[in-house]
Amino acid sequence: MSILKGVPPVVPVSRGPRLAGTAIGGVALLVATFAAMLVPAATGARAAIGTTKCTGSQAVTYTPGLTDQPREVTVSGTAPLLDCVSTSDPTIFQATSTFSATGTFSCTSGTRAGSRKITWNNGNTSTLSSTSTVSLNDAETVVLIKGVVVDGEFKGARWTGTFAMFGTKPLACLTTQGLAGVSGPLTLSIGSL
């Protein structure tokens, strides 16, 4: 009498296709996860690399006029930016910039806070916050500007600018009325700072 008579026969089961399917599914999941992780990183890297640089001239009005003694002054002006190069937006090649700011400063020193609006040749605009510092660089009076794009194209990017007010201090700085206005070269850079 055989003891194995009541035990059901063992049917061999092939595990090859099932394991292969599981392995392929696992690899696909890993690839999808890895790709999802890379997409934001690549997008962020592209945004960090791009820059927009412009040069032009800026005409500024001071109210009241600048003197050798620091006082509260409102500044406003316009700047045609006729030479722009942008790796962030290749459709940009020129712009117009307007700004206003208020602060305590003189013909050779001080700080002011304000905003700037840029209208690009492609029809887009950018609104920038700014903080400016007036200082002497050798004999030249220079305004160093920095801030962030708060709205419009390039929103969130940092920016810097340099405005050369004058090489030799105007005689109007020595008067009571002060210097009513000035113009000079402006350079502006947005992104990758």
Side-chain angles (χ1 to χ4, degrees):
M1 183 182 268
S2 171
I3 310 176
L4 299 175
K5 197 171 185 178
V7 177
V10 176
V11 179
V13 176
S14 172
R15 296 186 180 259
R18 184 184 299 166
L19 288 176
T22 304
I24 290 170
V27 169
L29 180 63
L30 282 174
V31 169
T33 304
F34 186 69
M37 289 169 41
L38 285 181
V39 169
T43 303
R46 268 197 308 275
I49 292 171
T51 58
T52 301
K53 295 184 179 180
C54 297
T55 58
S57 60
Q58 179 165 268
V60 179
T61 301
Y62 304 108
T63 308
L66 289 185
T67 67
D68 274 347
Q69 299 303 313
R71 60 181 174 181
E72 187 169 316
V73 176
T74 298
V75 186
S76 59
T78 60
L81 302 168
L82 301 178
D83 185 15
C84 296
V85 176
S86 178
T87 60
S88 300
D89 183 347
T91 67
I92 289 174
F93 56 87
Q94 65 183 24
T96 301
S97 171
T98 58
F99 78 97
S100 63
T102 302
T104 302
F105 57 105
S106 69
C107 281
T108 56
S109 66
T111 59
R112 59 187 182 237
S115 64
R116 182 178 294 264
K117 183 175 181 178
I118 299 176
T119 302
W120 305 102
N121 64 276
N122 62 9
N124 294 335
T125 62
S126 299
T127 303
L128 296 68
S129 67
S130 68
T131 303
S132 307
T133 304
V134 181
S135 61
L136 279 173
N137 183 8
D138 293 328
E140 187 177 45
T141 300
V142 176
V143 182
L144 301 177
I145 317 159
K146 64 180 179 178
V148 175
V149 180
V150 295
D151 195 25
E153 188 156 7
F154 312 123
K155 183 177 180 179
R158 296 188 179 278
W159 76 281
T160 61
T162 304
F163 171 54
M165 286 173 61
F166 40 79
T168 303
K169 184 168 62 175
L171 292 175
C173 293
L174 305 174
T175 67
T176 308
Q177 293 81 14
L179 180 67
V182 70
S183 60
L186 172 72
T187 60
L188 186 146
S189 180
I190 299 173
S192 295
L193 305 173

